[in-house]
Amino acid sequence: MPYDHRKTAPRTLALALALAGCCAALAGCGASQASEDSTASGKGGTPTPPPAVDATPTAPGAPDASTTTPTAPTASTTAVPSSPSGAQGSRSLAGRTVVVDPGHNPGNFKHPREINAKVDIGTARKECDTTGTSTNGTAAQAAYTEAAFTLDVSHRVRDLLTARGAKVVFTHDANRPWGPCIDERAAIGNAARADAVVSVHADGSAVGNRGFHVILPARVSAGAADTGPIVGPSRELGEAVADRFARATGTKPANYLGGGTGLDVRKDLGGLNLSTVPKVFVECGNMRDPKDAALLTSAAWRQKAAQGIADGIATYLNG
Ligand code: ZN
């Protein structure tokens, strides 16, 4: 959902994609959208069981496993940061609070009425949330939903950040039937007085549209929305995350928006509009593109994605 599908997506296409869930396809779900504006995605969504794709919660062959387990003091090597992506990762984040917002909720598919209910985002009224997108399933492999993807990546980000001493707060952990709504997602970050908030998503755009991007809040002031104080710091956070994500994953910025910068600025996302603390959305890739989907469904790649997000947050916080 990263890009504003409403400008580009034919309505018929949107309807066709609605069952698939996401955001974006047309719309780009993204999180953004997805969570926020994709009206199509929430409707008629057939409950899709969380996919079975490579859902191993831990990093495959994770070379960093030892560093994320504080209780494994095996003598020799555990104290050496094994992150290949930068020195920032080894600096302490003690005293810092990071809110991680896993886009969507696996249960949203079963609660269309609730997630389609409108909430006030200051500049407009929008759907509470959406179902999110998914990969295109095949006969051999079930579709992998964006909601499952975001939870998995978020868990990995949490492990990496807590290992560095940060306090990590989730907006949800699939421990509720649906939601939270986009306004509540923002409120959780605000209440935590977070030093940084990252909302994790994957897009649902056209085949051939590839790559990641980070969505930054535009300057808006209307109703409860006033992003003036967070536009600057959110851009710093977003640029750090985009840079580190590219380095950690080896993937390129989106080729379908942002002019190759990997950055997009939006004023229609409630999760950003209502935030009073630095916040960005990360669209890790396009679930509807087979090549991107091959990455997104790989646990090893998701660990790299999480590393990039965590490194970006650490870079921002350590300045
Ligand atoms: Zn999304």
Side-chain angles (χ1 to χ4, degrees):
M1 307 233 99
Y3 62 87
D4 189 340
H5 63 294
R6 292 172 303 177
K7 296 177 181 173
T8 55
R11 181 167 182 74
T12 49
L13 174 57
L15 293 174
L17 295 170
L19 288 180
C22 188
C23 333
L26 43 159
C29 138
S32 30
Q33 263 189 190
S35 32
E36 318 230 342
D37 44 333
S38 174
T39 55
S41 57
K43 301 173 182 174
T46 317
T48 304
V53 186
D54 201 5
T56 334
T58 46
D64 304 325
S66 59
T67 61
T68 59
T69 312
T71 51
T74 344
S76 44
T77 59
T78 51
V80 181
S82 56
S83 165
S85 34
Q88 288 87 344
S90 63
R91 293 178 57 184
S92 175
L93 296 178
R96 302 303 190 106
T97 298
V98 177
V99 170
V100 176
D101 177 35
H104 316 286
N105 179 320
N108 282 359
F109 286 98
K110 299 178 181 176
H111 296 274
R113 182 173 59 80
E114 290 88 347
I115 67 168
N116 285 327
K118 299 285 181 67
V119 298
D120 189 345
I121 66 164
T123 53
R125 290 184 63 78
K126 286 183 64 173
E127 288 72 23
C128 156
D129 202 354
T130 64
T131 58
T133 189
S134 73
T135 62
N136 295 315
T138 65
Q141 192 172 52
Y144 187 40
T145 65
E146 181 187 359
F149 170 83
T150 63
L151 272 176
D152 181 87
V153 172
S154 294
H155 289 154
R156 295 169 190 273
V157 170
R158 179 175 62 189
D159 289 346
L160 292 165
L161 292 175
T162 54
R164 296 174 188 177
K167 174 186 177 183
V168 176
V169 176
F170 268 30
T171 56
H172 80 96
D173 196 4
N175 52 354
R176 49 184 290 168
W178 53 273
C181 294
I182 53 178
D183 56 341
E184 184 180 353
R185 289 173 186 267
I188 292 169
N190 298 344
R193 297 181 182 277
D195 293 295
V197 184
V198 173
S199 187
V200 180
H201 290 262
D203 209 353
S205 190
V207 173
N209 288 346
R210 298 196 57 195
F212 72 89
H213 68 280
V214 178
I215 302 172
L216 315 175
R219 186 177 296 274
V220 298
S221 179
D226 179 11
T227 59
I230 68 160
V231 165
S234 295
R235 173 168 285 274
E236 292 178 24
L237 170 63
E239 289 178 345
V241 169
D243 176 63
R244 290 289 169 170
F245 191 93
R247 290 199 219 181
T249 63
T251 52
K252 295 181 179 178
N255 64 6
Y256 57 99
L257 82 182
T261 64
L263 301 173
D264 190 19
V265 178
R266 291 178 54 163
K267 60 182 179 181
D268 61 325
L269 303 179
L272 295 181
N273 287 2
L274 299 174
S275 184
T276 58
V277 291
K279 182 173 182 178
V280 299
F281 281 45
V282 181
E283 296 283 355
C284 296
N286 175 17
M287 301 198 93
R288 295 294 182 181
D289 177 85
K291 292 179 180 175
D292 268 15
L295 300 176
L296 297 163
T297 55
S298 158
W301 188 88
R302 292 196 297 274
Q303 185 64 21
K304 293 179 183 177
Q307 185 75 56
I309 293 169
D311 285 348
I313 293 169
T315 298
Y316 166 73
L317 293 178
N318 285 333

